[in-house]
């Protein structure tokens, strides 16, 4: 039963990750054409709303049994790194919510034009930070697994 549940969680995580990957690509494309285009900013808003719904669900699924618990079981001394990653993940979600709120507050388009360049740059920076965070999570998992295999020799 636990294995079946684990497979369901893994499947849901894969779906959310795939959705996020698509949304981040769409967001980058929309940011390219967003200068004075009110329609592009409406789509950006929808993409951000969807990300802000998907990301907390992804985090809940990742936290099932403890965030990066399999890493900490093998390497308890990595607790500081895991804690930093967890905090970074929370900070990224809060920053995205803040950017979305600023975007909503700058409506109508006249005010949006004044902030468009700044928001576009900040959203690009956020995407870069989020991708770096995901890579760091994967790297720590890979390192834990590789160290575990290497210890058997």
């Amino acid at each position: 039963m636990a294995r079946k549940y684990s497979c369901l969680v893994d499947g849901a995580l894969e779906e959310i990750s795939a959705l996020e990957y698509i949304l981040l690509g769409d967001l980058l494309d929309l940011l390219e054409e967003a200068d004075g285009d009110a329609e592009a900013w409406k789509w950006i808003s929808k993409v951000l709303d969807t990300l802000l719904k998907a990301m907390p669900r992804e985090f809940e699924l990742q936290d099932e049994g403890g965030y990066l618990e399999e890493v900490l079981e093998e390497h308890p001394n990595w607790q500081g790194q895991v804690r930093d990653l967890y905090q970074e993940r929370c900070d990224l979600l809060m920053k995205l919510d803040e950017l979305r709120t600023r975007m909503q507050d700058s409506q109508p388009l006249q005010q949006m034009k004044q902030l468009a360049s700044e928001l576009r740059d900040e959203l690009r920076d956020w995407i870069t930070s989020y991708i770096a965070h995901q890579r760091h999570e994967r790297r720590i998992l890979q390192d834990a697994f590789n160290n575990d295999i290497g210890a058997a020799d």
Side-chain angles (χ1 to χ4, degrees):
M1 179 68 175
R3 183 162 172 77
K4 185 176 180 180
Y5 179 75
S6 177
C7 289
L8 290 173
V9 168
D10 290 344
L13 268 170
E14 284 180 28
E15 286 180 24
I16 291 172
S17 293
L19 174 65
E20 284 179 3
Y21 180 79
I22 292 167
L23 290 171
L24 291 174
D26 290 346
L27 186 56
L28 282 170
D29 291 343
L30 287 165
L31 289 170
E32 289 300 318
E33 56 191 64
D35 263 343
D37 185 359
E39 197 62 32
W41 283 102
K42 287 179 187 175
W43 281 107
I44 289 170
S45 178
K46 291 181 186 303
V47 168
L48 293 180
D49 287 344
T50 305
L51 279 170
L52 285 166
K53 288 177 186 164
M55 288 177 69
R57 179 64 183 136
E58 177 188 28
F59 295 167
E60 286 175 24
L61 291 170
Q62 288 176 338
D63 290 350
E64 290 288 323
Y67 179 66
L68 295 178
E69 189 62 32
E70 62 275 17
V71 170
L72 292 175
E73 286 174 5
E74 292 297 319
H75 303 282
N77 58 324
W78 292 9
Q79 188 170 4
Q81 291 180 64
V82 170
R83 185 179 48 247
D84 291 348
L85 272 171
Y86 185 86
Q87 184 59 51
E88 182 178 71
R89 185 180 77 163
C90 295
D91 293 345
L92 283 163
L93 185 59
M94 287 183 351
K95 178 65 175 178
L96 186 62
D97 187 46
E98 172 194 313
L99 289 169
R100 173 66 178 104
T101 300
R102 282 183 44 215
M103 209 172 98
Q104 283 177 325
D105 292 347
S106 65
Q107 300 295 337
L109 186 59
Q110 283 302 96
Q111 293 172 343
M112 177 61 83
K113 286 180 182 178
Q114 296 168 358
L115 285 177
S117 179
E118 182 181 321
L119 281 170
R120 187 173 45 249
D121 291 343
E122 287 186 48
L123 283 167
R124 282 188 187 125
D125 289 345
W126 182 88
I127 291 169
T128 301
S129 296
Y130 186 66
I131 291 169
H133 170 79
Q134 289 178 318
R135 284 186 184 138
H136 192 183
E137 278 182 335
R138 279 193 302 275
R139 189 171 47 250
I140 203 170
L141 282 166
Q142 290 170 344
D143 288 350
F145 180 72
N146 289 336
N147 283 343
D148 189 38
I149 290 175
D153 288 341

